Amino acid sequence: MRIPLVDLASMHAEIAGEVERGFAELIASGAFVQGPQVSAFEAAFAAFSEVRHCVGVANGTDALELALRAVSVGHGDEVILPANTFIATAEAVARTGATPVLVDCDPDFLLIDVEAVASRIGPRTKAIVPVHLYGQAAPVEGLAGLADAAHVALIEDHAQSHGATRHGRAAGSLGLAAATSFYPGKNLGAYGDGGAVLTDSEGIAARVRALGNHGSTVRYQHPELGFNSRLDSMQAVVLSAKLARLATWNKARSAAAEQYSSLLAGMAGITLPRTMPGNTHVWHLYVIRFAGGTEQRDAVLAALHTAGVGAGIHYPVPVHLQGAFANLGQHRGDFPVAEQVADSMLSLPLFPHLSEEQIDHVVEVVASASA
Ligand SMILES: Cc1ncc(COP(=O)(O)O)c(C=O)c1O
């Protein structure tokens, strides 16, 4: 039984007809860039995310960079973010010219440590970027108080949390702006790269739209330098079709996560993922940890791969130990929780069409390899 980490084909099967019709219409119209499909998706995703504006961009990394630039983050500024995230969060900060200031995560939910953020706010802090990691929102209410008091922007990294909520409010609507990714494997994934900035602020939305369109609001007038970062009409066709199914697919992910948790509960040496009180989790990833550390994790990973199961590690190297951020001058030992998590974690297959039998099989392999 081969089980991928993510099965994109079964999602496509549900929307194939709609996508083919949408593509045919688009090809006939020729509006490949900034077509009506993009505005339709932006409006639908803004409504879904409970914000007034959604601006489609080329990918999630650009979305972060443009959102930060739109709130005037740049050279000389500092931006606080967690050390346990995908490199893009820190990369986007560095690309604005600002310095990433990393903090550790809490050991239970693996979300940004609010007290650590409080201790790192200083005169140069311009923004805080919590990451809604693995499908659940960071404790933004604690951060919002800090951000307000220090007059800094709260920009959510919403790449992994499409459809999640915190105390009933949609992830992506919890800060001044949010940046998201539609990378194919995300809960709402395109057929290529894509991303968006979400915000209630008309000013920020307009800034992101202009910056992503060569610094222009009037054709061939470029008062400032910008980028070419726009969501393709083709991706918008796919995203609209998938958005209509996202709530159902997120429920299926939840059911799969529940089945994993009930089967794995009580297995010696395995720590299960936990949902922070106040959160609705959308299970972008199901991440377990091994008391036996890297050795045990790697043995289980190898056994899963031998059995044809596509498990992964998200992410094996925290940001401060990446060569690209050697200039930050940080070392092993600086963020012990993030390091310990990176050394012992494993992501099991999780996608909406994962069957009960497939989950049983994955758990059997994990159980026999970790014993
Ligand atoms: C937490 C996080 N932030 C940012 C990104 C960057 O998104 P993209 O790959 O679309 O540039 C990703 C996904 O890849 C991510 O998982």
Side-chain angles (χ1 to χ4, degrees):
M1 190 193 288
R2 299 197 73 77
I3 308 172
L5 181 64
V6 187
D7 177 5
L8 300 177
S10 56
M11 282 184 252
H12 177 67
E14 280 196 43
I15 59 169
E18 208 173 313
V19 167
E20 276 161 32
R21 281 190 300 280
F23 281 0
E25 243 172 64
L26 173 59
I27 291 165
S29 79
F32 295 110
V33 176
Q34 294 181 314
Q37 293 84 356
V38 175
S39 350
F41 170 70
E42 287 176 339
F45 194 57
F48 177 86
S49 312
E50 299 171 11
V51 292
R52 291 183 30 223
H53 306 279
C54 167
V55 183
V57 299
N59 55 68
T61 313
D62 282 7
L64 281 161
E65 179 180 355
L66 293 172
L68 290 165
R69 286 184 182 271
V71 298
S72 304
V73 169
H75 284 279
D77 297 328
E78 291 180 351
V79 175
I80 303 177
L81 65 139
N84 63 322
T85 181
F86 181 57
I87 191 81
T89 321
E91 198 177 33
V93 170
R95 279 183 3 187
T96 67
T99 303
V101 172
L102 302 172
V103 294
D104 215 340
C105 59
D106 79 77
D108 298 319
F109 309 103
L110 316 185
L111 297 166
I112 192 167
D113 178 337
V114 175
E115 279 173 28
V117 173
S119 74
R120 296 308 309 273
I121 292 181
R124 291 168 60 198
T125 309
K126 197 68 177 267
I128 303 168
V129 182
V131 178
H132 302 324
L133 199 67
Y134 305 148
Q136 69 171 329
V140 282
E141 62 286 350
L143 300 172
L146 295 174
D148 285 350
H151 304 291
V152 306
L154 190 62
I155 308 288
E156 308 164 68
D157 183 333
H158 177 42
Q160 302 190 0
S161 50
H162 305 140
T165 65
R166 173 127 193 95
H167 296 306
R169 291 173 56 210
S173 74
L174 305 170
L176 183 56
T180 198
S181 163
F182 303 124
Y183 182 79
K186 299 294 191 241
N187 287 36
L188 179 60
Y191 289 176
D193 281 308
V197 174
L198 301 169
T199 183
D200 274 332
S201 157
E202 202 169 331
I204 292 174
R207 288 284 302 135
V208 170
R209 208 176 279 288
L211 285 171
N213 191 31
H214 304 286
S216 172
T217 52
V218 177
R219 202 159 202 203
Y220 302 128
Q221 303 292 321
H222 305 275
E224 63 176 337
L225 278 180
F227 304 81
N228 179 353
S229 186
R230 300 174 297 222
L231 184 68
D232 279 2
S233 305
M234 282 227 168
Q235 302 306 343
V237 167
V238 172
L239 291 167
S240 288
K242 284 194 170 180
L243 181 59
R245 282 133 180 114
L246 181 58
T248 307
W249 287 349
N250 279 345
K251 274 199 198 118
R253 284 175 179 273
S254 249
E258 253 174 56
Q259 193 188 337
Y260 270 131
S261 292
S262 70
L263 293 173
L264 291 165
M267 235 177 247
I270 298 184
T271 304
L272 302 183
R274 289 176 55 193
T275 302
M276 180 177 268
N279 275 349
T280 311
H281 204 311
V282 291
W283 299 101
H284 174 57
L285 290 170
Y286 188 90
V287 175
I288 59 176
R289 288 177 281 157
F290 292 92
T294 309
E295 203 180 316
Q296 190 185 19
R297 186 269 309 278
D298 289 350
V300 176
L301 182 60
L304 286 165
H305 285 168
T306 304
V309 176
I313 303 172
H314 301 88
Y315 300 93
V317 182
V319 173
H320 66 295
L321 301 180
Q322 296 284 358
F325 286 105
N327 64 317
L328 297 179
Q330 283 175 314
H331 306 285
R332 185 161 271 280
D334 286 347
F335 303 110
V337 183
E339 290 165 20
Q340 204 262 332
V341 168
D343 290 344
S344 61
M345 70 163 80
L346 184 67
S347 309
L348 299 179
L350 191 66
F351 47 86
H353 302 83
L354 187 64
S355 71
E356 291 183 8
E357 294 69 32
Q358 287 176 314
I359 295 173
D360 287 342
H361 180 63
V362 174
V363 171
E364 275 163 27
V365 179
V366 171
S368 68
S370 62

